[in-house]
């Protein structure tokens, strides 16, 4: 729950520590395409903490953009009864422009049509050849509509997306007792991603940051293997490659 996973990137906590929480400085950027889907229904105008829920969710999406590096792609869908591309999927190089595009979003649409949202994200990500293709869906746990479209389940669509290499994580706003909380949890399972459920919208920005860190880690392969050299170079000269121990992962 600390460092990058705790959502402390670009915060006073990071400034106070002697370490950086961003792996970009390590030169290990992976080829990532990320789509954020955000509920923009009328309920997002509520402000139980004094700040509208839509503003907190937008802040989370902007923090995701700030964490991406040159060449990594980002898309932003606002969802009510349809999916609206406020930021078409493209390299996230002009962060100020993307912030303005997200910042213009206001709450006030109808319900959250989950199938339409996932279908739009799938169509955009499917032809992309990125190493990691990932979706973050933010939705109300009491108002996630259109779980079936034309006789086809959104859960089956998520399974198809995962089979094609596109993973989906779900951020639900509400409690486990909400009518659609179980659906959102199963959606994350079928999408091969992670599930977050929070009753406090103020937690959403840190959840989005945590999820982006984990998505970027997806390019790291954690499995045992035996290394072998491609060429003889000075630092590896003299190593007995037939007797080296297993290594536990690689990028």
């Amino acid at each position: 729950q600390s460092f990058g996973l705790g959502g402390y990137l670009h915060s006073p906590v990071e400034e106070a520590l002697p370490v950086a929480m961003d792996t970009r400085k390590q030169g290990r950027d992976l080829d990532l395409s990320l789509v954020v889907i955000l509920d923009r229904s009328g309920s997002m105008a509520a402000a139980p903490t004094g700040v509208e829920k839509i503003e907190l969710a937008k802040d989370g999406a902007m923090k995701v953009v700030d964490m991406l590096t040159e060449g990594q792609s980002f898309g932003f869908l606002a969802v009510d009864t349809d999916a609206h591309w406020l930021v078409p999927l493209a390299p996230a190089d002009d962060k100020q422009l993307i912030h303005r595009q997200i910042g213009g979003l206001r709450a006030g649409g109808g319900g959250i049509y989950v199938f339409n949202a996932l279908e739009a994200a799938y169509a955009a990500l499917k032809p992309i050849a990125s190493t990691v293709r990932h979706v973050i869906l933010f939705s109300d746990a009491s108002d996630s509509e259109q779980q079936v479209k034309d006789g086809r389940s959104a859960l089956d669509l998520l399974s198809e997306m995962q089979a094609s290499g596109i993973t989906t994580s779900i951020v639900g706003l509400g409690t486990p007792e909400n009518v659609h909380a179980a659906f959102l949890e199963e959606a994350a399972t079928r999408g091969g991603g992670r599930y977050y459920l929070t009753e406090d919208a103020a937690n959403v920005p840190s959840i989005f940051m945590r999820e982006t860190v984990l998505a970027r880690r997806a390019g790291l392969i954690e499995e045992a293997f035996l290394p072998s050299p491609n060429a003889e170079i000075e630092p590896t000269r003299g190593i007995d490659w037939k007797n080296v121990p297993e290594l536990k992962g690689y990028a």
Side-chain angles (χ1 to χ4, degrees):
Q1 299 296 322
S2 61
F3 299 105
L5 293 181
Y8 297 118
L9 185 70
H10 304 316
S11 75
V13 174
E14 181 184 28
E15 292 179 13
L17 291 174
V19 295
M21 299 179 184
D22 194 343
T23 58
R24 288 182 296 181
K25 297 177 182 178
Q26 300 175 16
R28 298 173 63 182
D29 301 339
L30 59 93
D31 187 10
L32 170 67
S33 291
L34 179 64
V35 172
V36 171
I37 302 173
L38 197 66
D39 169 14
R40 60 146 295 181
S41 62
S43 63
M44 290 294 288
T49 64
V51 180
E52 288 187 5
K53 292 187 285 186
I54 190 75
E55 294 301 320
L56 293 166
K58 284 159 49 178
D59 181 54
M62 291 180 190
K63 283 181 165 57
V64 169
V65 174
D66 289 340
M67 295 174 70
L68 301 180
T69 60
E70 185 176 353
Q72 293 182 331
S73 294
F74 176 81
F76 183 80
L77 279 164
V79 181
D80 42 44
T81 55
D82 206 349
H84 310 275
W85 283 104
L86 297 190
V87 182
L89 182 63
D93 297 337
D94 190 343
K95 291 181 169 45
Q96 290 185 349
L97 172 61
I98 296 173
H99 279 211
R100 291 195 297 270
Q101 291 169 320
I102 295 173
L105 177 64
R106 298 291 181 266
I112 311 159
Y113 276 35
V114 174
F115 198 107
N116 282 345
L118 293 171
E119 190 174 43
Y122 187 23
L125 286 167
K126 190 174 182 179
I128 303 297
S130 297
T131 305
V132 176
R133 294 173 293 169
H134 189 59
V135 176
I136 303 174
L137 168 64
F138 172 82
S139 187
D140 192 325
S142 62
D143 191 26
S144 297
E145 301 181 66
Q146 202 197 31
Q147 298 173 19
V148 176
K149 178 181 178 180
D150 299 331
R152 189 180 183 201
S153 167
L155 298 176
D156 291 338
L157 176 60
L158 285 160
S159 294
E160 180 181 332
M161 291 169 65
Q162 185 185 8
S164 70
I166 301 168
T167 52
T168 304
S169 290
I170 309 291
V171 182
L173 185 62
T175 68
E177 292 73 32
N178 290 150
V179 63
H180 295 147
F183 163 75
L184 293 178
E185 184 172 12
E186 177 63 17
T189 299
R190 296 284 286 270
R194 290 157 290 274
Y195 178 58
Y196 309 86
L197 182 65
T198 180
E199 193 173 5
D200 186 353
N203 293 327
V204 171
S206 63
I207 291 173
F208 274 31
M209 292 175 71
R210 175 185 175 88
E211 180 58 24
T212 305
V213 170
L214 292 172
R216 288 169 60 177
R217 284 180 57 192
L220 306 179
I221 311 300
E222 296 189 84
E223 62 184 20
F225 72 100
L226 289 172
S228 61
N230 284 328
E232 186 72 22
I233 58 176
E234 187 60 35
T236 62
R237 198 177 305 280
I239 293 177
D240 181 5
W241 291 104
K242 294 181 180 179
N243 295 300
V244 294
E246 286 186 333
L247 299 181
K248 302 301 183 182
Y250 58 95

